[in-house]
Amino acid sequence: MTLSPKAVATARRNLAQRIGRLVTTLEKEAREPTAWEAHYTVTALQLLEADRYPDGEWTMLHAERPDIFDTPIHPTPLPVEANVATTAELRARLTELYGQG
């Protein structure tokens, strides 16, 4: 199924805005992302760049909700090669990819 250019643009915008909301929260709280937040947000940025918007949305859900995906009962270890980034690096990458950050 091929999506219209408008649908693709909407999906791209929605993912970029979702990433931006998390980065804005980090900025307002004047803190760096946890290892969990950083890994999944960097991965979502990579998916945004690759035009894989549904996968990026799913990945952002992980970044936003470690309480669901990384619970004490069912811990989910991050991969050994987990992505790391500061809040400023996340903002810069989002701005680079989407323009508005």
Side-chain angles (χ1 to χ4, degrees), residues 24-101:
T24 297
T25 297
L26 295 171
E27 292 167 339
K28 286 181 180 178
E29 293 175 358
R31 69 177 181 89
E32 297 302 328
T34 64
W36 183 273
E37 291 166 329
H39 172 70
Y40 284 103
T41 304
V42 168
T43 302
L45 285 162
Q46 292 167 344
L47 293 166
L48 176 67
E49 182 175 26
D51 301 329
R52 293 178 50 199
Y53 311 121
D55 293 334
E57 292 282 351
W58 179 245
T59 301
M60 279 309 296
L61 183 59
H62 284 71
E64 297 159 345
R65 298 299 306 268
D67 59 312
I68 294 174
F69 295 100
D70 186 31
T71 66
I73 296 169
H74 299 288
T76 306
L78 290 173
V80 174
E81 69 280 358
N83 297 302
V84 294
T86 65
T87 300
E89 290 168 338
L90 294 173
R91 173 62 69 195
R93 186 69 176 132
L94 179 58
T95 301
E96 179 184 324
L97 289 174
Y98 193 68
Q100 291 142 250

Side-chain angles (χ1 to χ4, degrees), residues 11-24:
R12 179 175 176 76
R13 182 197 69 231
N14 289 347
L15 178 55
Q17 287 177 342
R18 188 169 188 172
I19 295 167
R21 281 191 300 273
L22 180 66
V23 175
T24 297

